[in-house]
Amino acid sequence: MDYFPIFLLVASLMAAFSIYLIYLVKRGLNGVGFLLILYLSGSMVVMFASLSVFFSTPSPTTEAIALASNSAYMIFGLIPILFTLNRKINARKWYTVLLFSISMAISEALMGQTFLSIESGHLGNPLLGVENYWYFGVMLSEMAFTLVYSLRRGLDRTLRNYLLVALPLMGISPVIFSNNLNFITDSIWLNASLMIVATILIYETLYRDRLKRNQETMTSLEMMIVFSLMMGGIFVYYLYGSWYLFDFSMIAGMTWFIYRAIQGPSSVKGNYIRDAKWTFTFILLTFVMEWLMGGVLDFATGTLSPGVQGFLSSLSMGFVNPATDFGLGAIFDFISIFGTITGSIWFLIMMGTEMGMLALFRIGQVRLKENKVRLALMVSAYAIYTIYLPSFSPIASKIPFIPYMWSMGLGTLGPVSTQYLVPGIIGTYVFSAILSFLFGSRQICSVTCTAPTMYQGTFYDSLKVFNRTSKLGRKTLSSRIRPWYKVIAIVVWTSLLGFAVISYLDQINVLNIQIFGNDPTVFLYSFYFNFLWYVVFISIPFMGSYACVTQGWCSWGTFNQLFGGLGLFRLKVKDPDLCVKCETKACAEACPVGNTDLPGNFIKKGEFKSMRCVGIGDCAEACPHDNITFYDVRSWIRGKLKRT
């Protein structure tokens, strides 16, 4: 039997009835009228729940259960309304609107479940009702009406933008045709692209309103929770072949959408540059969503194999029994799982797209040509140096042998073997030391490393305020090298060199020491740069910005900072007297690595030189007198030519 016309009629009536209820609620209906709407929305839930049971196993018993449940609801559901007929009550509160939104979302899912029961004769999991185009057709029509009607009646600008992005994102779902693999893959890519756009929008919205005392912080967090659930649902599908978590995310997302469109923005406000705990939670949740998205894209491109065993067999460092070596295996497995995705090319592409766009937005905000050029080079370096050359270029297989391509420490692209030692590893360090001596460590820490792209976009650049407000960040202020900085740097370098020696001796068959089957330097690289670096990055609200520079966590950074400090690069001022008269001392406030002693050095010496200065240039940008200039080998050559 062709059920399509019947399903179309029922879905259309369902959509029309639901839209009418939403219309009444949005108009501001209160008191007994709102309770009646709750009653009607609940009746749809009970009706479709009982019908799905009946059609899955038609019998006199299920028919009686369906009739009894609907009759009971019709009678007992009216009791609260009858008790309030002659009373003035404020029935429309946030929790009653939330209850109404939940009933709308669940009733659509149960409608889909009823259709499934009619076609298949099986009940299955109630969340299966989400996995069909009938559910999404009704859901999107209700959400679209709610949004359009809310816009006509006036809607907060931030919430409006969020909902405008969320509507197509939730509507393009891989479970609409869950049996079509091509549709699933295409919708996942489109879904991920829209989510990247939405994430950039959230970042920019928060940044734009950073000077306001109150922002839509809770609304932003709610949206990120929905995104994380969606990506988590797709990730679970690739692991277990089940869409249930994603189905739940659709119901949760629709509930949130209708609730916020009716109720308006959250009453819980805040400001991200003043609330370290909220900011940490937001960054952590964003990273979880991005990590899951990176994994999903890895599955979609075949980088990771589907299924739990396929996933574990695809890990870059492998998987061992978590109980191995008194639990050390569990730590190794966690780092292996974590680092496999953070080190994957699609995670880097996704992160680069988000952070690169924030950096491009910032180019339009800076005024100095030097800073515009550096930011443009920084974004270009990420695209070329981090993404294209090592993964897509014709020379990708030769990267380990090319100086300066073997980045971020010994053993990055493999073990310390004789074939890589010269010119790959040694050539990289020599070449990079020369560049840092001539141009300062900015050539790495402000241009070619992945860190500056992530730190210097609009939103993340504004987090440098935590250098002054966080407990640990305050301890890194000024250019003075603290004792604990030296301890961290020594520990990092000792471990790096020690593991490099072991790796080299392994390669020449003197030793045979591995870490759960992995070369020591490969494991250490994954630990430092695919795991620990992200921990430091997420902890900006507590550790301050650019902790890799201010606290010595990055071996590659400290190496280049050392030669940068020994070399030509420094900041100079045209007139030290202007610094004496300057009332703002804005240069110290703007420095993203917390060099608060900039003004004092400018006044006493007319320049500032420190290995902690990585030449970002925010101080020159902030100077109200346009007094700060950059000095490196270019300036040195100009001076020689001028004297000549």
Side-chain angles (χ1 to χ4, degrees), residues 227-281:
F227 290 171
S228 298
L229 282 173
M230 291 173 66
M231 277 299 145
I234 302 175
F235 193 87
V236 168
Y237 161 75
Y238 276 113
L239 286 180
Y240 296 101
S242 169
W243 286 111
Y244 291 160
L245 179 58
F246 185 83
D247 296 341
F248 173 77
S249 75
M250 288 291 98
I251 295 175
M254 180 185 178
T255 300
W256 173 81
F257 189 101
I258 293 177
Y259 174 74
R260 279 287 161 235
I262 293 174
Q263 192 73 3
S266 172
S267 59
V268 180
K269 307 289 184 180
N271 185 291
Y272 76 92
I273 60 177
R274 295 189 180 97
D275 188 344
K277 292 180 179 178
W278 181 92
T279 307
F280 172 77
T281 304

Side-chain angles (χ1 to χ4, degrees), residues 74-75 124 416 419 439:
M74 290 177 65
I75 296 171
V416 183
Q419 61 175 334
F439 295 97

Side-chain angles (χ1 to χ4, degrees), residues 19 89 134 150 167 242 258 279 393 464 480 483 496 568:
I19 286 172
I89 60 169
W134 297 111
S150 299
L167 181 62
S242 169
I258 293 177
T279 307
S393 71
K464 62 191 176 187
R480 184 165 61 91
L496 184 71
L568 299 173

Side-chain angles (χ1 to χ4, degrees), residues 340-635:
T340 294
I341 293 179
T342 55
S344 73
I345 187 61
W346 289 107
F347 178 84
L348 293 173
I349 290 174
M350 179 268 302
M351 289 290 288
T353 303
E354 290 180 0
M355 304 303 179
M357 285 302 300
L358 299 181
L360 290 176
F361 293 154
R362 191 150 177 255
I363 291 177
Q365 298 177 0
V366 298
R367 57 184 179 83
L368 298 179
K369 181 180 178 180
E370 177 92 9
N371 285 339
K372 289 181 180 291
V373 171
R374 186 191 60 78
L375 286 169
L377 287 174
M378 180 185 77
V379 176
S380 301
Y382 190 99
I384 298 172
Y385 184 75
T386 302
I387 303 298
Y388 175 71
L389 288 177
S391 300
F392 301 104
S393 71
I395 64 169
S397 61
K398 300 179 177 61
I399 291 294
F401 304 96
I402 304 174
Y404 203 66
M405 290 294 101
W406 189 294
S407 63
M408 292 190 181
L410 294 169
T412 298
L413 301 175
V416 183
S417 62
T418 53
Q419 61 175 334
Y420 295 146
L421 197 58
V422 181
I425 298 176
I426 295 177
T428 293
Y429 278 84
V430 171
F431 191 57
S432 188
I434 293 171
L435 287 178
S436 289
F437 185 88
L438 298 176
F439 295 97
S441 60
R442 65 192 313 213
Q443 59 97 9
I444 285 290
C445 299
S446 297
V447 179
T448 54
C449 182
T450 58
T453 303
M454 296 181 67
Y455 275 122
Q456 292 179 43
T458 50
F459 174 84
Y460 283 99
D461 176 71
S462 65
L463 299 185
K464 62 191 176 187
V465 68
F466 291 111
N467 287 344
R468 292 177 175 270
T469 59
S470 65
K471 186 175 181 180
L472 185 56
R474 288 197 299 268
K475 294 180 179 180
T476 66
L477 295 176
S478 86
S479 61
R480 184 165 61 91
I481 302 299
R482 309 300 171 112
W484 50 269
Y485 173 99
K486 298 175 184 177
V487 171
I488 292 174
I490 289 172
V491 169
V492 170
W493 268 100
T494 300
S495 63
L496 184 71
L497 293 174
F499 277 44
V501 170
I502 295 173
S503 175
Y504 181 75
L505 294 176
D506 282 346
Q507 297 302 307
I508 60 174
N509 298 319
V510 174
L511 295 177
N512 184 24
I513 299 176
Q514 293 187 326
I515 299 178
F516 294 110
N518 290 270
D519 177 83
T521 58
V522 174
F523 169 79
L524 197 64
Y525 168 79
S526 187
F527 172 74
Y528 278 141
F529 295 106
N530 289 341
F531 172 70
L532 186 60
W533 190 91
Y534 287 99
V535 173
V536 172
F537 179 75
I538 294 168
S539 303
I540 291 175
F542 303 129
M543 300 179 70
S545 181
Y546 255 111
C548 52
V549 170
T550 62
Q551 297 176 25
W553 294 106
C554 178
S555 59
W556 190 230
T558 53
F559 174 83
N560 284 279
Q561 286 173 250
L562 174 63
F563 283 93
L566 296 174
L568 299 173
F569 179 77
R570 66 203 68 193
L571 298 171
K572 288 196 171 189
V573 291
K574 302 171 187 175
D575 184 359
D577 289 338
L578 288 176
C579 297
V580 176
K581 300 173 184 177
C582 181
E583 296 179 356
T584 65
K585 301 296 187 287
C587 57
E589 190 79 23
C591 180
V593 298
N595 290 329
T596 52
D597 50 343
L598 279 165
N601 280 271
F602 287 149
I603 293 171
K604 295 177 182 178
K605 304 176 183 178
E607 65 177 28
F608 179 83
K609 183 173 177 60
S610 168
M611 65 176 288
R612 278 213 356 172
C613 178
V614 292
I616 294 170
D618 286 355
C619 55
E621 197 71 36
C623 178
H625 306 291
D626 194 21
N627 196 32
I628 303 174
T629 61
F630 304 92
Y631 184 93
D632 56 27
V633 67
R634 296 168 298 172
S635 311

Side-chain angles (χ1 to χ4, degrees), residues 103-172:
S103 65
M104 287 288 99
I106 292 179
S107 64
E108 318 304 358
L110 290 172
M111 179 199 71
Q113 178 64 43
T114 300
F115 292 171
L116 181 66
S117 298
I118 293 173
E119 287 185 322
S120 66
H122 298 287
L123 181 62
N125 190 300
L127 289 176
L128 286 174
V130 175
E131 298 175 23
N132 60 77
Y133 49 83
W134 297 111
Y135 168 81
F136 282 92
V138 175
M139 180 193 77
L140 286 175
S141 62
E142 293 175 13
M143 292 169 63
F145 170 80
T146 308
L147 178 58
V148 171
Y149 190 66
S150 299
L151 291 174
R152 290 187 60 186
R153 293 180 65 87
L155 192 65
D156 176 81
R157 183 181 66 173
T158 297
L159 181 59
R160 176 201 66 193
N161 293 338
Y162 286 178
L163 296 181
L164 284 172
V165 173
L167 181 62
L169 200 156
M170 294 182 60
I172 305 171

